Amino acid sequence: MTATTTAPVAAPELRTPPNQPSARLRAWATRAPLLPALIFMIAVTQLPFVATLVISFFDWNALYPDARHFTGLSNYGDVLTDPDLRKSVWTTILLTVAVVLASLVLGLALALLLDRRFKGRGVVRTLLIAPFLVVPVAAALLWKHVLYNPEYGLLNGLLHYVGGPQPDWISNTPLLAVELSLVWQWTPFMMLILLAGLQSRDQQQIEAARVDGAGDWQIFVHLTLPHLRRYLELGALLGSIYIVQNFDAVFTITSGGLGTANLPYTVYQSFYQAHENGLASAAGVLVVIGSIIIATFALRVVSSLFREEVGRA
């Protein structure tokens, strides 16, 4: 009996069809639909910023175009040493810190309320979110005329009903008047972020703590607050990015007077009223740099939140 052996059949050589595009062409084909949006974003954001950066190195008054000349960093020195500009920087910091802290505290309280189940919770949530959806200028006008007006405002109307004084809120407490309007508008934003954090808690851990005899306050201090730390940081950073650039409330309520002129309003005054293009550009660049620094921390917090969620999953 003779054994027959079959020779192994060689596998056919795998070749890329001549008409199949290369990996680089496929990558460009997938990115091509995004190119118009990228070009548009560069045209409307980066090119104006580059122009602003260049103008900030010139002594450039729009009323005397022939007298403009290169001054280097002198405009930045003027922004940091001019008393009015330094005061606007301090006002910007004070306004941002006060609004962010008050919005976080109120937002946390409202988030804890909405985290509980009760009848009409959806309606209450919608009403609480409504201030954040109001146009900033409309919100400032609402507070200026409907609430703060000394003659027909709602606040003085309530004080008159109980026999109280009739103060001029904007003249007596101008910065506080701006801060209250911004707190009213930004508290819903903080509430939404913190509510998302509350709803991502480990309920089994909370139930185990209750079984061990922990009360509501102990659960809040030892479990809820540590869990919300990243969300509190995120709310504070994102709120700071937006509030440090706020212009609508200051312009509408006080017109930058009575010590309420922040840095964005000072940039407006330098550019549109004093026509000092170079000085206004330098102040604007400093605002952008500050916003970028805050945004960098915000992106790190967001990245850490995503990593924690992926690790938890």
Side-chain angles (χ1 to χ4, degrees):
M1 185 174 180
T2 305
T4 59
T5 59
T6 304
V9 180
E13 185 179 356
L14 298 177
R15 294 180 179 178
T16 303
N19 295 329
Q20 183 177 356
S22 63
R24 181 174 298 179
L25 289 178
R26 288 198 304 270
W28 275 108
T30 56
R31 295 189 180 99
L34 300 177
L35 287 179
L38 178 62
I39 295 172
F40 178 78
M41 185 188 69
I42 293 175
V44 301
T45 61
Q46 303 307 311
L47 294 182
F49 177 73
V50 172
T52 302
L53 185 63
V54 171
I55 295 173
S56 68
F57 296 115
F58 285 82
D59 184 2
W60 190 333
N61 190 304
L63 300 178
Y64 307 99
D66 296 334
R68 66 174 181 266
H69 58 278
F70 182 79
T71 58
L73 298 176
S74 63
N75 286 327
Y76 293 92
D78 292 339
V79 172
L80 298 176
T81 57
D82 183 82
D84 293 333
L85 291 172
R86 281 189 299 176
K87 185 178 180 181
S88 68
V89 172
W90 170 247
T91 302
T92 303
I93 296 173
L94 184 62
L95 182 67
T96 303
V97 171
V99 172
V100 169
L101 290 180
S103 300
L104 278 176
V105 173
L106 293 176
L108 177 59
L110 294 175
L112 291 171
L113 172 65
L114 292 179
D115 191 50
R116 300 176 178 270
R117 294 185 178 275
F118 57 90
K119 188 176 181 180
R121 184 174 65 166
V123 177
V124 174
R125 185 191 297 118
T126 303
L127 293 175
L128 291 176
I129 295 174
F132 186 64
L133 304 178
V134 179
V135 178
V137 174
L141 288 172
L142 174 69
W143 278 80
K144 181 177 182 179
H145 296 290
V146 178
L147 294 174
Y148 290 146
N149 192 281
E151 297 180 0
Y152 55 83
L154 182 60
L155 293 179
N156 280 1
L158 294 175
L159 290 175
H160 177 74
Y161 181 76
V162 298
Q166 303 290 298
D168 189 342
W169 297 92
I170 297 177
S171 298
N172 296 343
T173 55
L175 190 59
L176 181 62
V178 176
E179 291 171 351
L180 288 178
S181 67
L182 291 175
V183 168
W184 175 79
Q185 191 168 20
W186 283 96
T187 295
F189 176 78
M190 305 298 184
M191 179 195 71
L192 290 176
I193 293 178
L194 297 177
L195 183 59
L198 288 174
Q199 294 180 348
S200 66
R201 291 178 300 174
D202 188 356
Q203 296 299 324
Q204 294 181 352
Q205 188 180 23
I206 296 177
E207 292 176 2
R210 292 190 185 279
V211 171
D212 292 338
D216 292 337
W217 177 251
Q218 292 174 320
I219 292 176
F220 175 74
V221 172
H222 299 288
L223 293 179
T224 302
L225 275 184
H227 176 76
L228 290 179
R229 182 177 67 87
R230 292 291 186 183
Y231 296 89
L232 289 168
E233 292 176 357
L234 179 61
L237 291 171
L238 292 179
S240 299
I241 291 173
Y242 287 104
I243 297 170
V244 77
Q245 305 175 43
N246 181 268
F247 173 81
D248 309 83
V250 175
F251 177 79
T252 305
I253 296 177
T254 63
S255 298
L258 303 173
T260 60
N262 57 351
L263 196 52
Y265 187 86
T266 304
V267 172
Y268 161 78
Q269 282 185 315
S270 301
F271 191 85
Y272 287 101
Q273 296 180 0
H275 303 284
E276 290 289 348
N277 297 349
L279 192 63
S281 298
V285 169
L286 291 179
V287 173
V288 172
I289 292 174
S291 301
I292 290 175
I293 293 174
I294 300 174
T296 301
F297 288 103
L299 290 175
R300 291 184 179 180
V301 173
V302 172
S303 299
S304 65
L305 280 174
F306 282 138
R307 286 196 297 268
E308 289 178 4
E309 292 297 329
V310 171
R312 191 179 295 114

